[in-house]
Amino acid sequence: MQTVGWIGLGAMGTPMAANLLRAGYRVHVYNRSMEKAAPLIEAGATAAQSPREAAERSDVVVTMVADAAAVERLLVLPDGILSAELNGKTVVNMSTIGPAETRGFAAMVRERGGDFLDAPVSGSVKPAQEGQLIILAGGEADVVERCRPIFDVLGKTTIHFGGAGDGSAAKLVINSLLAMVMQGISEALVMASGLGLDQGKVAALISESAVNAPLFQAKKGMLLQEEFPPAFALKLMTKDLKLAADEAVRRNLPLPVVSTVLNTYLAANANGKGELDLASVYLQLKEMAGMGPAAKED
Ligand code: NAP
């Protein structure tokens, strides 16, 4: 069994690392704020004092952090991953970042003698807890195969899309669709409100219809109660939409709905909803329709 270095103990990283421990892996954990490591250490993980130590003690070192700036920092810090001897080791980035940045990081790791995979995930906190994520892999096929036992613990399916950066590209595709569907559901509910319909009955209609979706079922409670504790923070989805829009411009791809949805998420961030769940885009649309808190005060 390979030894794993796990870097990044946020909403996703913590349950994923916990699943590896439960499956019997030796896991060395590192997080910028080390206090978050306490529950995993109690569950049998070892604390690494730096990203370098996590890499040195492991066969496979995983980064699961917010964005490309965080991944880069963990690689290039004086005691970062790249300061370790990486021959025979694999660095796997599971954070959502752009394909171009991914290819840059892959080159940096290979220069130090290591193998690199991008393996971002589709699925939120609950699938992470249940080991039911979808792993979107990019990199050499033999390296993917070597890491497959780890991916099998974390997810229900691993899809190998191609070379370095292709897993990250696939992640932008699925998250753009997720953001569009989330806005579509939200607009339907705003429309229902504007037409004077009962939200509970409209939710029952959607649930029975051809456009019912696991996403709707997962977010229905939040939408009806208008409470949005973050499973997937709106600011992270906004980051992903920006990456998707950048990539579309780079490739000369017109994506009209992605552009529109990005603008709604940008507005929601600007209005202080970044730390809420992405489903709070519904509140943004309500406010745009004059149904938000400002309207109530009038
Ligand atoms: P999160 O709860 O906000 O955790 C972010 C993690 O990144 C924390 O460990 C944080 O460290 C670390 N971090 C942030 N900036 C850093 C920096 N400059 N240097 C070092 N570490 C830094 O995020 P998450 O929800 O776990 O998401 C992690 C990744 O998975 C993101 O790329 C996200 O887009 C992707 N993702 C999320 C979901 C979801 O539903 N949440 C689903 C699929 C994919 P501290 O603890 O020190 O702040």
Side-chain angles (χ1 to χ4, degrees), residues 63-65 71 91-97 102 116-120:
T63 49
M64 188 50 165
V65 290
V71 177
V91 177
V92 182
N93 176 52
M94 303 193 83
S95 331
T96 305
I97 67 171
T102 297
F116 182 92
L117 292 181
D118 44 314

Side-chain angles (χ1 to χ4, degrees), residues 158-225:
T158 297
I159 306 174
H160 181 202
F161 283 90
D166 289 345
S168 298
K171 175 63 184 170
L172 298 188
V173 170
I174 194 68
N175 267 25
S176 297
L177 182 58
L178 185 74
M180 289 187 277
V181 173
M182 195 67 247
Q183 177 155 342
I185 291 167
S186 300
E187 283 195 23
L189 289 178
V190 169
M191 183 182 178
S193 239
L195 296 179
L197 298 176
D198 178 271
Q199 295 292 69
K201 290 182 183 170
V202 173
L205 162 64
I206 297 172
S207 299
E208 292 299 326
S209 75
V211 288
N212 183 31
L215 179 68
F216 179 63
Q217 294 309 316
K219 304 297 183 188
K220 190 170 65 177
M222 289 188 190
L223 293 164
L224 294 180
Q225 284 147 33

Side-chain angles (χ1 to χ4, degrees), residues 8-13 31-33 36 64-67 69-70 73-74 94-97 121-125 171 175 231-233 235-236 239-240:
L9 300 174
M12 295 295 283
N31 194 54
R32 181 178 58 175
S33 325
K36 288 194 190 159
M64 188 50 165
V65 290
D67 52 22
R73 183 169 170 272
L74 292 162
M94 303 193 83
S95 331
T96 305
I97 67 171
V121 301
S122 181
S124 193
V125 174
K171 175 63 184 170
N175 267 25
F232 183 22
K235 67 176 181 191
L236 290 178
K239 168 205 65 163
D240 297 352

Side-chain angles (χ1 to χ4, degrees), residues 11-28:
M12 295 295 283
T14 298
M16 292 166 78
N19 282 341
L20 289 175
L21 281 170
R22 264 193 294 276
Y25 280 87
R26 281 183 58 204
V27 183
H28 301 287

Side-chain angles (χ1 to χ4, degrees), residues 257-297:
V257 182
V258 169
S259 306
T260 301
V261 169
L262 169 60
N263 277 324
T264 318
Y265 282 74
L266 286 172
N269 266 283
N271 290 327
K273 298 174 181 57
E275 301 296 335
L276 300 178
D277 191 76
L278 85 151
S280 67
V281 74
Y282 170 62
L283 293 182
Q284 177 58 32
L285 289 161
K286 274 188 78 176
E287 286 165 27
M288 285 162 67
M291 299 172 189
K296 279 184 201 152
E297 281 164 21

